[in-house]
Amino acid sequence: MSTNPSSSAKQAQNELGSRLRELRLDAGLSGRTLAVETGQHFTRVSKIENGVQAPTEHDVRAWCRACDAEDQVPDLIATLRAIDSAYTEFRRQSRAGMKRVLGAHTNGRYDQTSLFRIYEHNAVPGLFQTAEYTAAMLSFWVDFLEAPDDVDAAVTARVERQRLIYRADKRFAVVLEEQVLRTWFGTEQVQAGQLDRLLTVMSLPTVSLGIIPMMAERGAVGSAGFWMFDNNLVALETPTASIEVSRPREIEMYSRMFENLRGSARYGRDARALIIKALEDLPSRN
């Protein structure tokens, strides 16, 4: 997938046009007939179907109504809204400092979400990080993205956000790969503190924490970490961009993937044992 926002938007616009064309053909309508039914010029129908021009939300609703396919409206509208916002470039955000690099992780989004489903394969989720772990991770990104060094302010903002995990109206279903427990950010002492923090967090009534063992048969392998905000949005992060998925059918696929991954995870005493073993394997403990 391209990390060029304009390229991504163009591809999404082409795909949307193709889907609208398929709806028209399935309904047995010509372009001219659809134009009459939707109150637009037939050349505009052609431009939309060929990705030359983006439709409006009104166009999509009228198009689906004419094609007797109104059940497709939510997914098509989500696609339309994602065309110009599929990517938020980290480098553009980071020019104002790491405190501004949020992607989908805004206070507003967090307040609106009741169920967080989180899968991470190489790092502890931000809501469960110690300040020292966060600082070590952000220090790398400051250098990598050539951003202003506002690590202290960024750490403070992220730590304040962690109050969310104590709210009774929130639920956090988290699946981590065992590799997360053995990937260091900072010193051995920082890693030890982070592992202790996980042992504390997993006892909270709002948190369900599962860990997938490295050496065990499993039903699915996640290719990237992702966060699900209820059934409204999925967020992924690459080294250069934050990717937001809002199409209902794609969100459903992430939901299925999360359930597959959760089925391979260990919980309760078994999960605690994996964390304690990672602690015991730290060099200073041997």
Side-chain angles (χ1 to χ4, degrees):
M1 185 178 289
S2 170
T3 56
N4 183 317
S6 60
S7 173
S8 174
K10 180 61 177 174
Q11 181 180 356
Q13 187 166 304
N14 289 339
E15 291 176 356
L16 177 58
S18 295
R19 291 176 65 192
L20 291 172
R21 181 190 300 111
E22 289 173 5
L23 291 180
R24 175 178 64 77
L25 294 175
D26 288 345
L29 301 177
S30 68
R32 289 180 180 272
T33 301
L34 181 73
V36 171
E37 293 286 335
T38 57
Q40 58 188 318
H41 196 274
F42 72 89
T43 58
R44 187 164 184 270
V45 169
S46 177
K47 289 178 180 178
I48 290 173
E49 290 186 348
N50 288 289
V52 176
Q53 183 175 342
T56 65
E57 292 189 20
H58 173 77
D59 292 332
V60 169
R61 297 181 191 280
W63 197 298
C64 290
R65 187 163 53 249
C67 296
D68 194 25
E70 291 181 277
D71 60 320
Q72 297 295 310
V73 168
D75 194 67
L76 292 169
I77 292 293
T79 301
L80 178 61
R81 291 175 178 174
I83 285 176
D84 291 321
S85 60
Y87 284 80
T88 301
E89 291 180 284
F90 280 4
R91 186 175 295 276
R92 175 172 56 81
Q93 286 188 334
S94 66
R95 291 185 186 129
M98 293 305 297
K99 186 178 179 181
R100 302 291 184 113
V101 180
L102 298 173
H105 300 269
T106 64
N107 289 336
R109 175 75 62 187
Y110 278 40
D111 286 340
Q112 295 166 10
T113 302
S114 298
L115 173 62
F116 296 76
R117 283 171 287 179
I118 304 168
Y119 167 71
E120 291 288 1
H121 63 300
N122 58 17
V124 174
L127 287 173
F128 305 144
Q129 293 175 5
T130 65
E132 295 79 10
Y133 185 98
T134 300
M137 178 181 290
L138 291 181
S139 293
F140 164 78
W141 286 110
V142 163
D143 291 338
F144 183 79
L145 295 173
E146 300 176 351
D149 188 350
D150 66 339
V151 167
D152 289 344
V155 169
T156 298
R158 283 160 173 75
V159 170
E160 288 178 354
R161 193 182 301 156
Q162 293 179 2
R163 289 180 294 183
L164 204 70
I165 65 177
Y166 300 99
R167 284 177 47 174
D169 61 331
K170 306 293 184 182
R171 290 293 180 271
F172 303 87
V174 183
V175 175
L176 305 179
E177 298 286 348
E178 185 181 353
Q179 182 62 39
V180 170
L181 311 178
R182 299 175 180 276
T183 301
W184 291 18
F185 291 95
T187 66
E188 178 184 342
Q189 288 71 33
V190 169
Q191 186 69 6
Q194 181 59 70
L195 294 175
D196 281 333
R197 170 68 173 160
L198 279 180
L199 289 171
T200 300
V201 166
M202 68 185 300
S203 66
L204 295 175
T206 58
V207 176
S208 170
L209 176 62
I211 300 173
I212 303 176
M214 289 191 294
M215 302 298 289
E217 185 177 352
R218 56 193 296 162
V221 176
S223 58
F226 59 88
W227 288 52
M228 299 187 67
F229 299 90
D230 290 326
N231 288 316
N232 301 321
L233 186 76
V234 178
L236 307 85
E237 293 181 357
T238 75
T240 59
S242 175
I243 305 171
E244 298 180 13
V245 177
S246 59
R247 290 200 276 189
R249 62 178 179 176
E250 288 189 73
I251 291 174
E252 172 58 25
M253 293 180 70
Y254 278 98
S255 180
R256 286 165 46 203
M257 174 58 78
F258 187 82
E259 290 305 312
N260 274 312
L261 292 165
R262 189 155 69 169
S264 300
R266 303 289 186 268
Y267 289 86
R269 282 186 295 181
D270 290 340
R272 295 183 72 87
L274 289 169
I275 298 173
I276 292 170
K277 182 65 166 63
L279 269 168
E280 292 173 345
D281 288 346
L282 292 172
S284 65
R285 309 291 176 98
N286 295 321

